[in-house]
Amino acid sequence: MSTQSFVCVIDPLKSLNPKKDSSIAMMESAQSRAWKVGVIEDGGLWWSLDQGVCATVIWIHVDRSQKPWYSELGREEVKLKDLSAIIMRKDPPFTAEFVASTWLLEQAEREGARVFNKPSAIRDHNEKFTIAQFSRFVVPTLVSRNPGQLREFVEHYPDAIVKPLDGMGGSSIFRLKKGDQNIGVILETLTDHGSRTAMIQRYIPEIVDGDKRILLIDGQPVPYALARLPKEGEHRGNLAAGGTGRAQPLSPTDLEIAHAIGPVVQSRGLMLVGLDVIGNNLTEVNVTSPTCFREIMDQTGFPVADTFVKAIEKAVGRVPGVV
């Protein structure tokens, strides 16, 4: 394929919100920099012995001033190794089909494809549990599927947050307080009566000031975080849970956390990472499809999407503007 191509593995196009979706911001930036932009939707990847890993690519033109925000330019069956850059942007949940897509993309890498984030790294970094590798920034935490152990944690830390390891957008996150009569049923539900692992952490009261999203691009922090403020009566700052976003400069502690984690994740093939920080405490390391590009761009003018696309250009050795 002679034209330089920027192709996202992504949820169905009709499900994306052009006002806030970070993947659309990436594609819009790539298009402005003379990339040919395409997407691979659910079920669009396959492997065969004679051709290797292939996909049905939907080529699009992005124009957020129109409805819908994209126009389809055509569909093409291509070998992934013939694409210039493949961006894995499929949202969780981390199902068996999500894992299968990482297997296919990893095989495509073996055949010569360039995939960001690295499929094996996405698979190996659970977004909740990866904080264990950076424990100096973490509040008291327990990961277990034993309801008795989780209940005992609440005895030691009478105000706690419990959540599944595979959730997203603030789903199934509960605040537990010692003496709450619902503790038993909540823990039974989250662990499916001891058959599914969950995480419990000491409650971090600084959540009232926002759950900060810090973006790392090629190991370097974007200079602004998006503080996601819980709506009244909520303990979750996630935008999907009704929180509001406020862009703000990184604090000294934010920078310390970012500079400690950035080189590590970059060395593992994670081009784009979203750190979640409450107060001075790391709570998640997001690697599947980190968001908040648009909110930071709109509120500060910092070119997050351009910064990301330039990092991809550097990684693949592309000369900007050359098609």
Side-chain angles (χ1 to χ4, degrees), residues 117-138:
N117 285 326
K118 189 174 180 64
S120 59
I122 293 176
R123 215 170 44 241
D124 290 346
H125 289 78
N126 176 270
E127 299 190 323
K128 307 293 191 296
F129 193 39
T130 296
I131 64 171
Q133 300 177 39
F134 308 100
S135 58
R136 66 188 174 107
F137 301 118
V138 177

Side-chain angles (χ1 to χ4, degrees), residues 141-153:
T141 300
L142 170 69
V143 173
S144 174
R145 67 187 228 182
N146 185 317
Q149 291 179 333
L150 297 168
R151 183 185 284 272
E152 185 178 351
F153 186 94

Side-chain angles (χ1 to χ4, degrees), residues 157-184:
Y157 301 99
D159 197 351
I161 294 290
V162 63
K163 52 191 173 182
L165 290 181
D166 59 354
M168 65 165 288
S171 63
S172 300
I173 296 178
F174 294 90
R175 184 176 179 182
L176 300 181
K177 290 188 176 182
K178 185 176 179 179
D180 189 332
Q181 293 183 343
N182 291 313
I183 288 179

Side-chain angles (χ1 to χ4, degrees), residues 248-260:
Q248 59 192 42
L250 298 187
S251 71
T253 304
D254 294 340
L255 286 167
E256 179 186 1
I257 294 171
H259 288 145

Side-chain angles (χ1 to χ4, degrees), residues 254-310:
D254 294 340
L255 286 167
E256 179 186 1
I257 294 171
H259 288 145
I261 297 175
V264 177
V265 294
Q266 187 227 26
S267 71
R268 297 174 181 174
L270 294 167
M271 172 71 75
L272 176 63
V273 172
L275 307 178
D276 288 351
V277 173
I278 301 175
N280 297 327
N281 307 285
L282 178 69
T283 60
E284 293 190 17
V285 179
N286 294 272
V287 302
T288 48
S289 56
T291 60
C292 300
F293 279 38
R294 185 69 64 189
E295 293 87 349
I296 293 173
M297 291 163 60
D298 288 347
Q299 293 184 38
T300 70
F302 185 84
V304 184
D306 285 351
T307 302
F308 176 73
V309 174
K310 288 177 183 177

Side-chain angles (χ1 to χ4, degrees), residues 80-102:
L80 263 61
K81 67 180 181 180
D82 293 334
L83 299 172
S84 307
I86 301 158
I87 318 301
M88 178 52 160
R89 292 291 299 174
K90 181 76 177 68
D91 279 345
F94 206 80
T95 62
E97 280 304 304
F98 189 103
V99 174
S101 68
T102 68

